[in-house]
Amino acid sequence: MNPYIDLTIIVAKTAILVLGGSITYYALRAYDRTGDRSLRELGVGFGIVTVGALLGGVSHQIIGADLAVGIAIDGLLTSVGFAVIVYSLYLE
């Protein structure tokens, strides 16, 4: 595989981990302050998306799984995370 592709994947997954982790942290912190369930679910949803990106990258870069496996893991958990985020937007 092209080394630039590997580097691009590592940089992108690191950015997703930092930014997604920040969103998760602030959403859960806001939940702790307000007790608003929708903020908790929002944080959980972004956490799932972030973990999906992390696991997808780790499976490919560290474990050595095929790139398609990493993409499948990332895509599956991103879908679940987005479903939780949509649910959080409908809570009252």
Side-chain angles (χ1 to χ4, degrees):
M1 181 179 275
N2 184 335
Y4 293 112
I5 299 288
D6 284 342
L7 180 61
T8 301
I9 291 170
I10 291 168
V11 169
K13 296 298 181 181
T14 301
I16 291 169
L17 179 62
V18 170
L19 296 171
S22 296
I23 294 169
T24 301
Y25 171 77
Y26 287 117
L28 293 176
R29 197 169 117 186
Y31 164 70
D32 284 341
R33 279 196 321 269
T34 65
D36 184 352
R37 246 182 68 205
S38 66
L39 289 170
R40 180 186 66 197
E41 299 306 319
L42 181 68
V44 169
F46 273 107
I48 293 170
V49 170
T50 303
V51 167
L54 177 66
L55 291 178
V58 164
S59 70
H60 173 65
Q61 294 294 323
I62 296 175
I63 297 173
D66 190 54
L67 181 58
V69 172
I71 292 170
I73 292 169
D74 187 6
L76 177 64
L77 289 174
T78 297
S79 298
V80 171
F82 282 159
V84 174
I85 291 168
V86 168
Y87 172 72
S88 79
L89 297 173
Y90 283 101
L91 287 178
E92 293 189 24

